[in-house]
Amino acid sequence: MTGSLSSWQIWQVINMNNLLIVGQYVPTNSIVHRMDPRIKMLIIFFYVIFIFFANNIVSYALFTVFAVGGTLLTKVPWRFIAKGLTPVWFLIVFTFILHLFVTKEGTVLVNVFGLPIYSGALEQGAVISLRFFLLILLTSLLTLTTTPIEITDGVESLLGPLRRFKFPVHELALMMSISLRFIPTLLQETEKISNAQASRGVDFRTGPFRERVRAVIPLLVPLFVSAFKRAEELAMAMEARGYRGGEGRTKLRELQVMKRDVAALVIFIIVVAAALITRDYS
Amino acid sequence: MYAIEFKNVSFRYEEEQPYVLRNVSFQVEAGEWLAIIGHNGSGKSTIAKLMNGLLFPTEGEIIINGIPLNEENIWEIRRQVGMVFQNPDNQFVGTTVRDDVAFGLENRGVPRAEMMDRITSSLEQVRMQDYLLHEPYRLSGGQKQRVAIAGVLAISPSVIILDEATAMLDPLGRKEILDTVHHVQAAQQLGLITITHDLNEVMQAHRVLVMNDGEIWTTTVPRELVKRQTELQQIGLDVPFVTQLAHALERQGITLDEQPIDHEELLDALWTLHSNK
Amino acid sequence: MDITFKQVDYTYQANSPFEHKALKNLSFHLPGGSFTAIVGHTGSGKSTLLQHLNGLVRPTSGSVQIGEHTLEPKKKPKQAKELRKQVGIVFQYPEHQLFEETVEKDIAFGPRNFGVAEKEIAKRVKESAAAVGLDLSLLSRSPFELSGGQMRRVAIAGVLAVRPRVLVLDEPTAGLDPRGQQEIMDMFYRLHKEQQLTTILVTHSMEDALTYADHMLVLDKGEKYMEGTPVKVFQDRQALQQVQLDVPEIFQFLQKTSERFGKQVAYEGENVDRLAEQLADLAGDKHE
């Protein structure tokens, strides 16, 4: 049927394209949820670096236990996590298979269609896929357990030192939070206008490609017009409410490092230290 | 000293464009509720924007609590004159109710400890305290406007302007907002300016200012205003049901001593007539 | 065109954690040429119902019949475009859908999409502009230079230019001043009569429902809550208040009058003058 796009469909499209800022948050209020977003981001940042130092079974096991343990603590049902990983499963499996056929180390284990598979290939394929999997898993935990606004607060705070170099940290954070605030509003608007134009005979779904591209104009022009109008009104409302830039401003949202954050950091440091000690140095 | 005083204010957006406001003078007393009405494009929203320095008069002077408004003191003036706009969505800045009410406080550098108290108490006044962590898309239009009012109350202004704040709401939302401002205005002796074309809203105000084509058509009390039904209709305004009925009764030969402003007053008058027969 | 809903269910995001039933077992029949008001609190399913009327959505179960067209769950309707040509929808704040460089082009947009011949389009643009009370000198202007009220009229003209047989109005007067509201509603009513349209008005204004509609449908939580002539529906104020609606002011006043005078004063399809006569009689009664 010729039809318009519902906001739910648009939502799904955004999710499919993996713009992680939207709709991934699963509110289970676990200890991981309550952690300081800055600590979560720091841990993930250094995890991504240090996992490349792992090179034997023990060091990999340590990183795996940390990531899986963290996942369990979030209390997020596995099917949400699996869903988040769906788009990357293919890549993980593909990497593994690629390694099977390309790497030529160790002994030949078996011949598949005349192609030899080496033991080293199996090993390397598994290791690289595992590393890939762990990275994705841990980063997805951030969006699963942290609201977009907390991420914004975290980024603002972590980038704070850049203020000295005249980097507009406050403006950037405000822009991010206003964008987050308006995403649902603009999705609704898109649905509304798409319905209205479909009712005037526009066909968004069928017809030759060129026609469909043309059909987007009656959708985009009103959306831009309305977005500009909103921006103008919002700017006026902000001014009326006494907004004049970041200077002299206080903040309601305050990030505080708590015991649980310290604990998480300590555990992470121990895991990294242990991994660094147990890795092979030959 | 008046809360707000306009002295011969004229305004146009650019030179050579026609004036949007011409020679407008009026005063609002502290704690008074003034309604401003007029058809779309009569200049009423321009008055609102002039009152807290979002626009500046082309000619004339605006005095707020004794201070003549100018470029230097608009930040102080905006603390004293809070404003709620028409579109509930386009003034909600925060990602949650709490953040939105905090916005004005943050802008003014209010310490965090004090912020929480002021947020809670202003949300209580508009009866939205149970929605502290709600995101705007989970609220109705009326609820969003109540949050906007709380955001204004939190900075303790002396005057609140509602610029067609109920125009985009359904009847239920409209009632919520009117009840809320009525309650807040009376409790805190706030100056209140409501810009509207809802005549039932006007009837509750202390005084009413009617705009027509950029000029003040009249300033009076609601009861007097509705007597001029025909003239009001000529400038594109409607009178409330009760007024229409009172006028129809007059045509039936029943003259009431006083122009009724709500159902009860009209029924009382009819009952008196009935009993005296 | 007759419109019939038979046990229509509509579920958003079925089988997901966000599943939401917007319409439940909804059945009704609107004869061709009728003027129906649909009322209900926000979230009652009004806008979902409205989207069924030109096939923007199909029922999850049940069926919708609009003239010759049938909408059923799994079957794509054969002539969706034909259906949209016959059912014109004026959405809430329709001026938001304007996008062309000139008023003329924007009004012509619908007819052009539906394959109306160019010569005919030119004629229809002028006709519908006149019907909504737009000055023809505005046709060459950009719609974005016009006032809000004029933009609304342009958008409505764009829907009318397709010459629908069914006209669906979703709160067409929202945000207008009292005079603008009255003008727009009177215009729709005139068109309804002149062109024998089947009109469906979604509204919050009970006054408009009473003034213009001959049939009324009250929705609550996706279900049919009440149905009948407006006068009949407005007899039961309590029922309406239970779903956060109310009766028109005149009914409220009549109820208070009846209570005060201890005597039933019924609604007699009156304007204020008729009501004043009734009241004059009442006040003139000898007190016992």
Side-chain angles (χ1 to χ4, degrees):
Chain A
M1 173 162 72
T2 57
S4 54
L5 303 170
S6 75
S7 59
W8 171 244
Q9 284 164 328
I10 295 163
W11 194 278
Q12 277 178 322
V13 170
I14 290 173
N15 270 335
M16 250 158 41
N17 292 339
N18 233 5
L19 293 179
L20 291 171
I21 50 168
V22 189
Q24 291 248 322
Y25 181 70
V26 182
T28 54
N29 197 26
S30 71
I31 187 162
V32 184
H33 285 73
R34 279 173 277 140
M35 270 176 67
D36 187 321
R38 290 171 300 182
I39 303 296
K40 289 194 239 184
M41 283 190 266
L42 281 177
I43 289 181
I44 288 166
F45 180 76
F46 286 105
Y47 186 95
V48 170
I49 292 173
F50 282 106
I51 196 167
F52 286 95
F53 287 85
N55 63 358
N56 63 5
I57 236 172
V58 182
S59 48
Y60 267 113
L62 281 164
F63 280 109
T64 310
V65 166
F66 183 81
V68 173
T71 312
L72 289 175
L73 279 179
T74 63
K75 294 190 200 153
V76 175
W78 277 102
R79 78 196 151 89
F80 280 100
I81 294 164
K83 217 170 144 194
L85 294 176
T86 326
V88 286
W89 270 127
F90 171 75
L91 270 178
I92 293 173
V93 173
F94 180 77
T95 317
F96 180 69
I97 293 173
L98 196 72
H99 268 277
L100 280 191
F101 290 108
V102 174
T103 313
K104 297 191 176 0
E105 283 167 26
T107 55
V108 177
L109 291 173
V110 65
N111 267 306
V112 180
F113 302 120
L115 284 171
I117 304 267
Y118 293 85
S119 61
L122 200 64
E123 199 176 290
Q124 270 208 23
V127 160
I128 288 177
S129 301
L130 175 70
R131 190 193 288 161
F132 198 29
F133 168 76
L134 290 177
L135 287 180
I136 302 289
L137 179 66
L138 206 71
T139 32
S140 72
L141 286 194
L142 180 70
T143 48
L144 285 167
T145 66
T146 323
T147 59
I149 191 68
E150 284 174 322
I151 295 181
T152 306
D153 290 338
V155 169
E156 180 176 12
S157 171
L158 289 175
L159 294 181
L162 291 182
R163 225 170 268 162
R164 254 194 272 163
F165 308 106
K166 298 260 151 85
F167 188 79
V169 177
H170 161 76
E171 283 75 9
L172 190 76
L174 187 75
M175 247 167 59
M176 270 172 75
S177 84
I178 287 178
S179 315
L180 291 170
R181 142 79 188 89
F182 274 93
I183 284 172
T185 311
L186 291 177
L187 284 178
Q188 270 172 6
E189 184 107 353
T190 311
E191 181 181 2
K192 221 192 88 178
I193 294 170
S194 135
N195 273 338
Q197 306 300 31
S199 302
R200 293 212 280 169
V202 177
D203 190 345
F204 292 106
R205 293 251 176 89
T206 53
F209 181 70
R210 259 183 61 192
E211 288 290 305
R212 270 190 284 169
V213 171
R214 276 214 346 212
V216 176
I217 296 170
L219 184 62
L220 283 187
V221 174
L223 271 178
F224 272 107
V225 170
S226 122
F228 279 121
K229 186 162 178 263
R230 281 185 196 283
E232 209 176 294
E233 287 185 14
L234 185 73
M236 187 177 285
M238 285 169 65
E239 205 181 315
R241 295 176 68 181
Y243 179 73
R244 45 173 168 174
E247 219 165 300
R249 233 175 156 259
T250 45
K251 282 200 64 158
L252 170 73
R253 293 182 163 275
E254 208 171 53
L255 297 173
Q256 263 184 321
V257 177
M258 312 284 271
K259 267 193 202 145
R260 54 177 171 262
D261 299 304
V262 177
L265 259 185
V266 169
I267 294 170
F268 176 66
I269 289 167
I270 292 172
V271 167
V272 170
L276 288 179
I277 291 164
T278 53
R279 79 188 284 266
D280 293 338
Y281 284 94
S282 50
Chain B
M1 190 176 75
Y2 295 110
I4 292 180
E5 185 173 12
F6 271 50
K7 278 187 179 165
N8 308 101
V9 171
S10 295
F11 178 81
R12 57 179 166 185
Y13 282 92
E14 271 162 59
E15 264 180 63
E16 281 153 47
Q17 275 192 348
Y19 277 96
V20 190
L21 286 185
R22 279 187 307 270
N23 202 24
V24 168
S25 301
F26 66 91
Q27 299 86 28
V28 184
E29 310 249 2
E32 186 186 26
W33 179 350
L34 174 76
I36 303 181
I37 58 167
H39 59 82
N40 282 352
S42 60
K44 51 191 192 319
S45 280
T46 309
I47 294 184
K49 292 186 184 109
L50 285 164
M51 279 184 206
N52 75 348
L54 292 170
L55 297 172
F56 285 94
T58 314
E59 285 147 41
E61 196 179 20
I62 296 166
I63 300 158
I64 313 279
N65 291 327
I67 312 161
L69 192 151
N70 60 41
E71 303 259 0
E72 276 86 61
N73 62 21
I74 48 170
W75 302 106
E76 176 50 27
I77 297 291
R78 282 180 193 154
R79 202 195 57 70
Q80 295 179 25
V81 183
M83 188 146 159
V84 179
F85 296 86
Q86 181 177 16
N87 191 326
D89 264 320
N90 297 352
Q91 57 188 313
F92 205 111
V93 187
T95 43
T96 67
V97 167
R98 188 184 66 175
D99 291 294
D100 191 62
V101 178
F103 183 73
L105 299 169
E106 294 176 326
N107 290 337
R108 292 182 170 88
V110 174
R112 191 174 180 279
E114 199 186 324
M115 246 190 249
M116 262 339 276
D117 287 343
R118 284 165 77 166
I119 292 170
T120 325
S121 76
S122 48
L123 280 173
E124 271 165 10
Q125 290 185 63
V126 300
R127 276 158 291 184
M128 285 294 290
Q129 65 273 31
D130 298 335
Y131 296 84
L132 211 56
L133 295 177
H134 274 231
E135 294 93 352
Y137 63 87
R138 286 160 67 200
L139 303 176
S140 71
Q143 290 174 326
K144 279 181 219 168
Q145 290 301 66
R146 269 147 72 194
V147 174
I149 295 173
V152 167
L153 288 177
I155 53 161
S156 335
S158 57
V159 180
I160 295 186
I161 306 169
L162 302 190
D163 185 5
E164 297 198 41
T166 60
M168 293 179 76
L169 306 180
D170 60 17
L172 195 71
R174 209 167 282 182
K175 192 169 173 305
E176 278 173 19
I177 297 302
L178 279 185
D179 289 351
T180 303
V181 293
H182 212 155
H183 160 80
V184 168
Q185 196 270 338
Q188 302 202 0
Q189 281 302 299
L190 277 174
L192 179 63
I193 296 168
T194 51
I195 293 165
T196 179
H197 33 236
D198 180 349
L199 266 137
N200 288 316
E201 197 173 314
V202 171
M203 298 315 283
Q204 302 180 27
H206 302 145
R207 255 183 343 128
V208 52
L209 187 157
V210 184
M211 290 298 297
N212 187 38
D213 293 332
E215 291 178 27
I216 294 184
W217 189 73
T218 190
T219 322
T220 180
V221 293
R223 201 185 291 280
E224 290 302 313
L225 177 72
V226 291
K227 286 184 181 165
R228 302 162 72 177
Q229 181 172 0
T230 332
E231 288 171 86
L232 282 169
Q233 279 162 346
Q234 275 162 8
I235 61 164
L237 294 169
D238 227 344
V239 295
F241 170 77
V242 176
T243 313
Q244 293 176 26
L245 193 51
H247 285 125
L249 279 166
E250 243 166 69
R251 289 194 289 274
Q252 293 291 327
I254 297 184
T255 316
L256 306 169
D257 299 340
E258 201 182 33
Q259 185 72 34
I261 59 166
D262 57 28
H263 293 182
E264 281 63 32
E265 283 192 16
L266 178 54
L267 283 170
D268 285 345
L270 284 171
W271 182 250
T272 316
L273 271 176
H274 174 71
S275 313
N276 292 343
K277 275 276 156 72
Chain C
M1 276 188 359
D2 281 29
I3 296 169
T4 310
F5 274 54
K6 274 190 199 143
Q7 299 174 327
V8 171
D9 277 346
Y10 187 81
T11 311
Y12 282 102
Q13 304 165 29
N15 306 321
S16 84
F18 310 100
E19 183 172 300
H20 167 63
K21 273 200 168 180
L23 294 180
K24 287 177 227 159
N25 197 26
L26 189 64
S27 302
F28 59 84
H29 172 77
L30 311 176
S34 58
F35 195 125
T36 305
I38 298 182
V39 301
H41 186 238
T42 309
S44 60
K46 288 176 300 184
S47 55
T48 310
L49 188 162
L50 186 147
Q51 290 177 33
H52 280 83
L53 294 172
N54 73 348
L56 286 170
V57 298
R58 274 177 284 151
T60 311
S61 70
S63 75
V64 176
Q65 183 82 34
I66 302 141
E68 304 291 298
H69 304 268
T70 312
L71 298 176
E72 280 171 326
K74 297 248 157 65
K75 263 201 303 209
K76 294 191 176 187
K78 285 185 202 99
Q79 295 178 308
K81 206 157 179 172
E82 187 56 31
L83 172 61
R84 290 200 186 147
K85 195 172 158 185
Q86 303 211 359
V87 181
I89 303 189
V90 176
F91 284 93
Q92 233 183 82
Y93 299 100
E95 58 272 24
H96 293 169
Q97 75 200 28
L98 302 178
F99 74 100
E100 284 280 19
E101 296 146 49
T102 66
V103 170
E104 186 169 10
K105 279 189 187 172
D106 214 294
I107 299 178
F109 181 68
R112 199 159 279 149
N113 284 329
F114 289 113
V116 176
E118 284 302 315
K119 228 178 119 189
E120 170 72 13
I121 291 179
K123 193 178 127 215
R124 288 198 192 177
V125 167
K126 291 209 179 71
E127 258 178 31
S128 14
V132 297
L134 271 181
D135 197 293
L136 293 186
S137 67
L138 297 178
L139 286 181
S140 55
R141 295 265 293 275
S142 159
F144 299 107
E145 291 171 4
L146 306 181
S147 76
Q150 286 171 324
M151 284 170 82
R152 171 91 39 112
R153 283 161 200 264
V154 173
I156 292 170
V159 175
L160 295 178
V162 182
R163 291 213 182 135
R165 297 304 305 143
V166 177
L167 194 55
V168 182
L169 311 170
D170 187 1
E171 293 198 49
T173 62
L176 298 177
D177 61 20
R179 181 187 281 177
Q181 294 184 5
Q182 171 104 33
E183 282 173 2
I184 295 276
M185 278 317 296
D186 285 348
M187 176 204 76
F188 282 128
Y189 194 66
R190 205 186 61 235
L191 288 169
H192 168 78
K193 287 286 175 207
E194 278 174 11
Q195 308 184 8
Q196 285 117 47
L197 300 174
T198 309
T199 306
I200 292 160
L201 170 71
V202 173
T203 185
H204 284 303
S205 162
M206 299 298 160
E207 270 70 22
D208 282 352
L210 180 65
T211 312
Y212 302 105
D214 47 47
H215 192 72
M216 205 171 154
L217 205 60
V218 185
L219 296 184
D220 180 49
K221 300 191 187 89
E223 288 176 285
K224 186 166 80 182
Y225 183 71
M226 289 165 100
E227 188 181 5
T229 62
V231 174
K232 187 179 148 239
V233 168
F234 293 140
Q235 296 305 321
D236 198 347
R237 186 179 186 190
Q238 243 188 338
L240 284 168
Q241 283 177 328
Q242 266 167 20
V243 293
Q244 290 156 311
L245 298 171
D246 211 332
V247 297
E249 198 174 355
I250 192 163
F251 278 79
Q252 298 177 23
F253 184 77
L254 283 172
Q255 191 190 354
K256 286 183 197 161
T257 312
S258 304
E259 281 163 14
R260 180 67 69 97
F261 288 88
K263 191 174 164 187
Q264 197 59 37
V265 193
Y267 179 75
E268 296 176 356
E270 57 250 274
N271 53 28
V272 283
D273 283 306
R274 175 72 196 98
L275 178 59
E277 272 176 42
Q278 273 177 289
L279 292 175
D281 286 348
L282 206 59
D285 275 355
K286 280 266 175 288
H287 189 55
E288 289 155 46

